[in-house]
């Protein structure tokens, strides 16, 4: 096929997208001698238009998928829609459009944009979490987990939006206000449904050690979120009262330095122990804290504040009286809701003590040599001082002995606490999975809830009138639909009412990766045979902001699926990539607010999909943020034109050319250039360094241009091979362009259906290689020596270099350091 003189992306990109679709190029189930690869990107919320962050996210997986198809794997690469949730409901409230209608429109728009960028998705595996065929299985999981004791109804303190009059999730609280309406968010105790994720805290924590291909920042965030703390509980008697306050501490070795005790504002004893004089101040503070969310009170940087109750507690070890305060940084649902404060050995306690002029008493020295001479609190282990019989003991020994004493005296016990809490998942909104529970006054007077029978699933959402019911305020929208709420009790067949809250959208994304494998499977939510064949996911791409929500929730859900016999794996994902943010040209995160959003469609229309793909992949390592640059985008466009011109120039003379004789001179150099590029790109893709892979391709093109005219049969055959290999290394990044090149040079099928070639080892070995030459560790010169040169030969070449002669200055060499194929260092 003769190439057009000019690169025109629009026509050829549509051509190859149609060809891939018609041939089923990206369908799973291809014969695969090397086994499977499951490549997945976090599915999008279709609540708006596609943006460049989506483009980057999906490209990282797309490169990997294309590469492994060509490496001989059966690749699973699906796409679907996380279609329930608050964003779609917000848009419906704002625009008066039913969320189902808006979601369908957004999915159609999103899917069209995805197709224009040439992603290698198997659309036969598509799922939509807002379809009853999907969310019926959310309800099935709910019932199974209810049977296992993993679902329960509780009263809990929640984030209550005073504007929307509904519960919102922690992630929807921004600086103490609702991200939807910007009204104040406060703590409120309400009934809710919860998953017992804490039953799995230890196993989820332990398994993090095995996630060696996850970013450290994600595993560290999960460790901190789960927050296992080993310590003791100790009872402080309250002066003038029969009440006791039980505190939890991981540092009982510092208890002789306790100078005050702090309670959560809603601790049960606050009202009864507060003195008359302090009552107004305490009441005002408690009311103030009740009007704030836990997130606002404890977020990083929040000011620590409190008030004295007028009461005193008695240290169980010293008998000393210490004042009792209430403060914003202590939560009633963490530990015991009370802490002993040791400002000399805790940074938070130190800051609080300094603010309120409370005593600071040192009871730990770094060693037996004396006190710490630094500023602030000394927070490490050490040796106890001024601690009675425990003075002189190392911290670890003292903790053990003091814990035993508390048990012996009946004043406490060793214990383990967890920062992680059970996952409250019920939401007072419409656009989510209905919870399959009914309430019957006759059969269920305590309102514990009666499960809907499996044969009655799915409990579908009613088709409500948007403008009348879906207001976002007051009681849950479903409560206003009498024809839906009023139902029949499955036990007595009498009147009953449905649960009117819906499930958190994170439920939908907990198990979608398993549903993709057989989206039409009717016998269960997951086809166990397909799960055995394709799980776990080999590569997962998404944002780091999901570290302690989705990425933790779906690990928990995977454990449950294994217990239910649906999946053989303990962990859902082997390798995780968290991509960086695509900022606007002004360096700020792309946002309509800043007017710096770059629409993918505008780039595709102007430059073509391959330019957009190439630019985003070349901009930097996957995990780093980068600022958008029109100039750099145009540079990638010019590069593709340059490659096109190179291939078109040589097409007539070189396409299909063969040579059976030896390759020498220019012909040999052309082949070396191509095979070195193949090696570099192969290795870069394996380590997910896509920007360096593209840099290697650019260097290859520059070298091929230096060949200029090719005239001999060997040179023509070498150039034919070089362009064909160039197309291969381009295909994961710029697939339409690459396939067009390959077809012009004789390819009969899409490159993704062919094999990734192996480079020839003899062609990637350099005749000479560089060595860095250092003197006393400082770089002084670079020399070129034969690739096979040994230490003596390299040293001789280095000593002969004029720069090294000057640097040595005739001084005797005490030591010569030789690092093969890298550097040498003279120590004088």
């Amino acid at each position: 096929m003769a190439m057009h003189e000019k690169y025109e992306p629009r026509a050829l990109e549509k051509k190859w997208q149609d060809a891939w679709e018609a041939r089923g190029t990206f369908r799973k189930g291809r014969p695969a001698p090397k086994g499977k690869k499951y490549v997945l990107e976090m599915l999008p919320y279709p609540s708006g238009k596609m943006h460049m962050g989506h483009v980057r996210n999906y490209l990282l997986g797309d490169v990997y998928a294309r590469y492994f198809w060509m490496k001989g794997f059966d690749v699973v690469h699906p796409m679907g829609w996380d279609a329930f949730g608050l964003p779609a409901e917000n848009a419906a409230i704002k625009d008066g459009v039913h969320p189902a209608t808006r979601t369908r429109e957004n999915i159609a728009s999103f899917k069209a944009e995805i197709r224009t960028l040439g992603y290698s998705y198997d659309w036969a595996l598509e799922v939509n979490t807002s379809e009853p065929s999907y969310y019926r299985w959310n309800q099935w999981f709910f019932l199974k987990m209810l049977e296992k004791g993993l679902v329960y109804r509780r009263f809990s303190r929640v984030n209550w939006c005073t504007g929307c009059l509904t519960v919102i999730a922690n992630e929807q609280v921004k600086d103490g206000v609702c991200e939807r309406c910007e009204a104040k968010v406060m703590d409120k105790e309400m009934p809710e449904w919860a998953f017992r994720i804490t039953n799995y805290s230890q196993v989820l924590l332990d398994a993090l050690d095995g996630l060696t291909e996850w970013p450290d920042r994600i595993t560290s965030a999960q460790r901190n979120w789960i927050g296992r703390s080993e310590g003791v509980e100790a009872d402080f008697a309250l002066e003038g009262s029969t009440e006791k306050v039980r505190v939890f501490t991981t540092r009982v070795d510092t208890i002789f330095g306790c100078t005050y005790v702090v309670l959560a504002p809603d601790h049960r004893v606050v009202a009864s122990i507060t003195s008359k004089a302090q009552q107004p101040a305490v009441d005002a503070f408690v009311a103030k804290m009740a009007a704030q969310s836990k997130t606002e009170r404890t977020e990083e940087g929040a000011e620590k504040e409190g008030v004295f109750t007028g009461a005193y507690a008695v240290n169980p070890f010293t008998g000393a009286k210490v004042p009792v305060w209430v403060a914003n940084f202590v939560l009633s649902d963490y530990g015991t809701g009370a802490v002993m404060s040791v400002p000399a050995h805790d940074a938070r306690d130190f800051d609080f003590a300094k603010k309120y002029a409370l005593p600071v008493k040192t009871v730990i020295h770094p060693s037996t040599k004396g006190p710490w001479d630094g500023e602030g609190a000394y927070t490490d282990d050490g040796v106890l001082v001024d601690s009675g019989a425990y003075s002189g003991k190392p911290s670890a020994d003292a903790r053990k002995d003091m814990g035993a004493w508390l048990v012996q005296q009946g004043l406490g016990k060793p214990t383990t606490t967890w920062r992680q809490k059970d996952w409250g998942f019920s939401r007072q909104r419409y656009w989510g999975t209905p919870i399959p529970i009914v309430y019957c006054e006759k059969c269920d007077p305590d309102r514990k809830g009666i499960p809907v029978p499996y044969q009655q699933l799915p409990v579908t959402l009613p088709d409500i009138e948007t403008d009348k019911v879906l207001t976002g305020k007051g009681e849950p929208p479903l409560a206003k639909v009498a024809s839906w709420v009023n139902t029949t009790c499955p036990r007595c067949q009498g009147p009953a009412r449905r649960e009117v809250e819906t499930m958190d959208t994170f439920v939908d994304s907990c198990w979608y990766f398993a549903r993709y494998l057989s989206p039409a499977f009717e016998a269960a939510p997951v086809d166990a045979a397909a799960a055995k064949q394709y799980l776990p996911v080999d590569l997962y791409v998404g944002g780091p902001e999901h570290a302690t929500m989705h990425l933790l929730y779906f690990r928990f859900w995977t454990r449950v699926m294994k217990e239910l016999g649906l999946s053989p794996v303990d962990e859902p994902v082997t390798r995780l990539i968290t991509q960086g943010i695509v900022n606007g040209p002004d360096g700020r995160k792309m946002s309509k607010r800043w007017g710096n959003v770059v629409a993918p469609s505008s780039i595709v229309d102007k430059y073509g999909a391959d330019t957009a793909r190439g630019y985003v992949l070349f901009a930097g390592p996957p995990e780093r943020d980068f600022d958008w640059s029109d100039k750099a985008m145009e540079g990638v466009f010019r590069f593709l034109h340059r490659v096109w011109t190179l291939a078109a120039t040589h097409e007539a003379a070189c396409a299909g050319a063969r040579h059976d004789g030896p390759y020498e001179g220019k012909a040999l150099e052309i082949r070396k250039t191509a095979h070195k590029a193949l090696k570099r790109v192969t290795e870069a893709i394996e380590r997910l360094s896509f920007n360096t892979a593209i840099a290697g391709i650019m260097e290859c093109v520059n070298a091929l241009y230096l060949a200029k005219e090719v005239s001999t049969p060997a040179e023509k055959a070498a150039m034919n091979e070089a362009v064909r290999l160039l197309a291969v290394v381009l295909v994961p990044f710029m697939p339409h362009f690459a396939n067009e090149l390959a077809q012009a040079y004789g390819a009969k099928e899409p490159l993704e259906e062919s094999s990734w070639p192996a480079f020839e080892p003899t062609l990637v070995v350099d005749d000479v290689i560089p060595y860095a030459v250092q003197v006393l560790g400082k770089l002084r010169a670079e020399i070129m020596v034969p690739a096979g040169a040994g230490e003596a030969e390299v040293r001789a070449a280095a000593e002969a270099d004029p720069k090294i002669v000057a640097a040595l200055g005739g001084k005797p060499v005490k030591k010569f350091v030789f690092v093969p194929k890298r550097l040498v260092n003279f120590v004088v």
Side-chain angles (χ1 to χ4, degrees), residues 105-177:
E105 293 171 351
N106 287 346
I107 286 175
S109 171
F110 217 115
K111 190 171 181 179
E113 286 212 67
I114 283 178
R115 287 182 180 275
T116 66
L117 283 152
Y119 292 108
S120 56
Y121 291 127
D122 182 351
W123 289 107
L125 305 180
E126 182 180 8
V127 300
N128 177 341
T129 64
S130 67
E131 294 290 340
S133 59
Y134 185 90
Y135 70 71
R136 68 173 286 203
W137 298 112
N138 287 346
Q139 296 168 344
W140 183 93
F141 274 119
F142 174 95
L143 296 178
K144 288 293 182 184
M145 293 165 79
L146 186 65
E147 292 168 6
K148 288 171 63 65
L150 295 176
V151 171
Y152 67 104
R153 186 95 164 139
R154 69 180 182 185
F155 273 86
S156 178
R157 302 202 70 82
V158 296
N159 297 313
W160 179 259
C161 174
T162 57
C164 300
L165 302 180
T166 186
V167 176
I168 60 175
N170 287 339
E171 63 271 17
Q172 291 151 357
V173 181
K174 306 297 182 185
D175 299 322
V177 301

Side-chain angles (χ1 to χ4, degrees), residues 710-773:
V710 292
S711 53
T712 69
E715 291 170 357
K716 292 177 181 179
M719 185 59 74
N720 174 59
E721 180 186 21
V723 174
R724 291 179 67 115
L725 287 179
L726 188 59
V728 167
V729 296
L730 279 168
V731 77
F733 312 103
M734 303 150 184
H736 316 86
F737 183 95
N739 272 292
E740 192 73 7
L741 255 61
Q743 188 177 72
Y745 275 69
K748 304 299 183 186
E749 61 186 8
L751 287 171
E752 294 89 348
E753 297 177 26
S754 62
S755 297
W756 188 269
F759 57 83
E760 289 190 22
T762 58
L763 296 176
V764 298
V765 177
D766 290 311
D767 296 328
V768 293
I769 58 174
Y771 268 82
V773 184

Side-chain angles (χ1 to χ4, degrees), residues 315-638:
N315 188 317
F317 279 86
T318 67
K321 294 191 304 181
V322 294
V324 179
W325 286 63
V326 289
N328 62 343
F329 57 82
V330 180
L331 302 177
S332 59
D333 60 355
Y334 180 74
T336 62
V339 298
M340 67 171 207
S341 293
V342 185
H345 304 295
D346 182 276
R348 180 196 62 196
D349 295 348
F350 181 85
D351 291 342
F352 191 85
K354 287 298 182 185
K355 180 176 180 178
Y356 292 103
L358 294 165
V360 178
K361 180 183 178 183
T362 298
V363 293
I364 304 287
H365 285 177
S367 69
T368 56
K369 295 180 180 179
W372 186 52
D373 58 2
E375 296 182 358
Y378 175 72
T379 59
D380 292 336
D381 278 6
V383 176
L384 274 67
V385 297
D386 293 333
S387 298
Y390 303 98
S391 295
K393 289 192 175 188
S395 289
D397 293 344
R399 283 194 289 270
K400 181 179 178 181
D401 294 344
M402 295 165 112
W405 184 86
L406 286 168
V407 172
Q408 183 183 27
Q409 299 297 316
L411 295 173
K413 62 179 181 179
T415 190
T416 299
T417 64
W418 302 86
R419 183 174 183 269
Q420 183 181 39
K421 303 304 175 188
D422 283 338
W423 170 16
F425 65 89
S426 50
R427 297 290 181 265
Q428 295 179 314
R429 63 174 186 245
Y430 167 73
W431 196 234
T433 298
I435 295 173
I437 287 289
V438 300
Y439 300 99
C440 172
E441 291 186 5
K442 178 181 178 182
C443 302
D444 182 34
D446 296 330
R447 289 186 58 81
K448 293 181 178 179
I450 299 171
V452 173
Y454 287 98
Q455 61 270 24
Q456 293 182 17
L457 301 183
V459 178
T460 57
L461 285 172
D463 188 8
I464 66 174
E465 295 181 63
T466 307
D467 58 338
K468 294 182 180 179
V469 180
L470 192 60
T471 64
K473 295 191 176 185
E475 61 184 342
L478 290 177
K480 304 171 186 177
V481 188
S483 60
W484 183 85
V485 172
N486 296 315
T487 187
T488 301
C489 173
R491 292 180 182 172
C492 70
Q493 306 306 310
R497 289 178 61 83
R498 294 192 186 279
E499 171 62 73
V500 294
E501 296 185 346
T502 54
M503 296 186 197
D504 184 358
T505 189
F506 281 120
V507 171
D508 307 329
S509 57
C510 273
W511 64 283
Y512 77 105
F513 65 96
R515 185 64 180 174
Y516 273 144
L517 300 176
S518 299
F521 194 65
E522 285 292 325
V526 178
D527 180 346
K532 182 177 180 180
Q533 182 178 357
Y534 289 108
L535 293 182
V537 174
D538 294 280
L539 179 72
Y540 196 35
V541 185
E545 67 274 13
H546 297 291
T548 56
M549 292 179 287
H550 164 62
L551 289 172
L552 190 56
Y553 295 155
F554 90 144
R555 291 184 60 222
F556 154 65
W557 210 275
T558 299
R559 299 272 169 175
V560 175
M561 288 197 295
K562 183 176 182 181
E563 293 171 5
L564 293 173
L566 299 173
S567 166
V569 299
D570 292 318
E571 291 291 334
V573 169
T574 300
R575 188 177 193 179
L576 173 68
I577 300 176
T578 53
Q579 87 281 1
I581 294 170
V582 182
N583 295 316
D586 56 1
R588 294 184 290 190
K589 185 176 180 180
M590 287 190 184
S591 168
K592 291 179 181 178
R593 178 183 179 186
W594 306 121
N596 62 355
V597 174
V598 178
S601 57
S602 66
I603 302 301
V604 173
D605 289 344
K606 185 175 181 180
Y607 297 107
D610 286 323
T611 296
R613 292 171 61 106
Y615 166 64
V616 170
L617 291 166
F618 185 53
E623 68 279 3
R624 286 191 193 166
D625 300 350
F626 75 86
D627 297 343
W628 186 268
S629 169
D630 290 335
K631 184 177 180 181
M633 171 70 74
E634 289 164 1
V636 174
F637 189 53
R638 289 194 301 271

Side-chain angles (χ1 to χ4, degrees), residues 2-22:
M3 296 178 66
H4 294 288
E5 184 177 337
K6 186 180 179 182
Y7 168 49
E8 297 175 347
R10 181 168 302 211
L12 70 87
E13 288 177 354
K14 180 68 166 61
K15 163 189 166 182
W16 286 104
Q17 290 160 13
D18 291 345
W20 296 324
E21 183 71 21

Side-chain angles (χ1 to χ4, degrees), residues 211-337:
L211 299 180
T212 57
E213 295 186 76
W214 283 42
D216 288 342
R217 63 173 172 168
I218 301 299
T219 54
S220 294
Q222 291 200 5
R223 279 192 178 88
N224 293 334
W225 186 263
I226 294 170
R228 187 178 194 272
S229 297
E230 294 185 11
V232 300
E233 292 179 354
D235 290 335
F236 280 64
L238 290 168
E239 186 183 39
S241 170
T242 58
E243 291 275 11
K244 294 181 179 179
V245 171
R246 173 157 286 197
V247 305
F248 170 77
T249 178
T250 61
R251 293 296 305 273
V252 70
D253 56 312
T254 68
I255 197 168
F256 280 78
C258 172
T259 59
Y260 61 100
V261 167
V262 181
L263 306 180
D266 55 343
H267 193 286
R268 63 177 181 82
V269 304
V270 170
S272 63
I273 68 171
T274 299
S275 68
K276 278 189 177 182
Q278 290 299 109
Q279 193 77 50
V282 172
D283 287 349
F285 184 79
V286 169
K288 179 182 177 181
M289 292 302 102
Q292 294 181 357
S293 68
K294 287 187 291 185
T295 305
E296 183 181 6
R297 284 168 52 191
T298 60
E299 64 188 354
E300 188 174 352
E303 182 183 1
K304 305 297 183 288
E305 52 183 332
V307 64
F308 177 43
T309 64
Y312 290 86
V314 179
N315 188 317
F317 279 86
T318 67
K321 294 191 304 181
V322 294
V324 179
W325 286 63
V326 289
N328 62 343
F329 57 82
V330 180
L331 302 177
S332 59
D333 60 355
Y334 180 74
T336 62

